[in-house]
Amino acid sequence: MRSSKRSRKKPFTRRRGPAVYLLGLALCAATIKDFASPSEGGINQNGLYRLSRNPMYLSYFLYFIGCVILTRSVILCVIVVLFQIASHWIILSEERWCMNTFGDAYRQYMKTVRRYI
C-alpha cells in the first residue's frame, strides 16, 4: 500500500518539478539579459520588463518552487514563503527609490506594467 502512494506522487514531481525549476532558470537568464540593457531613460522596459516590473524576483520564486516540488520539503517551502515576503518588502523599497530617481516616468511605468504578473 505504501509503495502505491509513492508511485502516485512521483509523476507529479518527476514532470512538474523539473519543468517549474527549468522555467525559473530560463526566466532568470532572460531577465538578466534584459536587465543588462536598460532603456535610454534608465527605466528598464525591455523584454520581460514590459510584462512585469519584477520578472527577476518572479523567476527566483518559480525556481525555488520547482525545488520545493522536487524535494517535497515542507521546510524549504516555509523558507521560500519567507523569502517571498522579504522580497516583497525589498521590491517596495526599490519602487520608492525608482519613484524618487525617475519621477513621473516611473509612475507612468507603474500604471502600465504590473508589479508581478
Side-chain angles (χ1 to χ4, degrees):
M1 188 74 131
R2 189 173 191 175
S3 63
S4 66
K5 283 185 179 182
R6 278 189 167 179
S7 64
R8 280 187 264 153
K9 290 182 180 181
K10 282 185 181 180
F12 178 79
T13 57
R14 195 176 317 146
R15 292 184 201 126
R16 290 180 182 93
V20 173
Y21 173 85
L22 292 173
L23 177 63
L25 284 178
L27 287 176
C28 190
T31 58
I32 289 170
K33 179 190 156 293
D34 295 339
F35 187 78
S37 55
S39 302
E40 289 179 22
I43 300 171
N44 200 334
Q45 299 178 44
N46 300 322
L48 294 172
Y49 288 89
R50 290 175 294 146
L51 308 171
S52 170
R53 295 194 311 260
N54 299 286
M56 197 173 294
Y57 287 103
L58 185 61
S59 69
Y60 296 157
F61 179 70
L62 290 172
Y63 168 80
F64 291 135
I65 288 298
C67 291
V68 168
I69 294 169
L70 283 168
T71 61
R72 292 185 253 163
S73 170
V74 174
I75 294 171
L76 182 57
C77 186
V78 169
I79 291 169
V80 169
V81 168
L82 294 174
F83 174 79
Q84 282 309 118
I85 291 168
S87 295
H88 179 72
W89 289 106
I90 292 168
I91 288 167
L92 294 176
S93 174
E94 289 175 350
E95 286 181 344
R96 282 190 301 275
W97 182 86
C98 287
M99 284 187 282
N100 291 333
T101 303
F102 302 111
D104 289 336
Y106 190 76
R107 286 180 187 83
Q108 184 60 37
Y109 177 60
M110 290 174 77
K111 289 179 184 176
T112 58
V113 179
R114 298 181 72 140
R115 181 177 286 141
Y116 299 111
I117 52 174

